[in-house]
Amino acid sequence: MKFVLVLTALVSTASAWRCTAERFKPTVKGNCASGHKAGDQNEGDSCSDKHPDSCYFKSPSSAGDSNCRIQVSSGSGCNPATIIGVVYCNSSAAVFSDADASYVVLCD
């Protein structure tokens, strides 16, 4: 019986995300406190599609893992050569992009 409980606990812990990023569409350009949620990503997701006029930050309900970061790149494809901002998942910072951008959550 103990084995089943331990195994269940390990499986549920293994599926927990270390960081979830949110994308907001601001109602006031550049004001990440305004607007509405337009999407989210975690470290299990691949690079997002490209989106214009968006704010990117760690979800308030997400774990603050210092080994994870949200990488925002210009255009599409999350190309490391075109990074326009990085938010670490133990931070409350945000990145705003008025141009097309894509984002991905990376954990070391």
Side-chain angles (χ1 to χ4, degrees):
M1 181 67 170
K2 286 183 183 179
F3 174 74
V4 173
L5 292 175
V6 171
L7 183 60
T8 303
L10 288 174
V11 169
S12 63
T13 302
S15 65
W17 302 117
R18 295 165 58 192
C19 182
T20 300
E22 289 189 358
R23 181 176 70 86
F24 262 56
K25 190 77 167 169
T27 52
V28 177
K29 189 173 185 172
N31 182 352
C32 293
S34 70
H36 63 279
K37 182 177 172 180
D40 57 34
Q41 295 270 95
N42 59 54
E43 70 271 18
D45 296 326
S46 60
C47 180
S48 75
D49 292 332
K50 61 183 179 178
H51 307 284
D53 298 324
S54 295
C55 293
Y56 306 89
F57 51 89
K58 179 187 76 72
S59 171
S61 62
S62 176
D65 193 320
S66 61
N67 293 316
C68 297
R69 63 200 175 281
I70 302 157
Q71 177 181 292
V72 182
S73 304
S74 61
S76 60
C78 294
N79 185 343
T82 62
I83 295 172
I84 58 173
V86 173
V87 175
Y88 286 88
C89 292
N90 62 346
S91 165
S92 60
V95 170
F96 172 74
S97 174
D98 57 357
D100 284 345
S102 55
Y103 68 116
V104 65
V105 177
L106 303 170
C107 295
D108 298 329

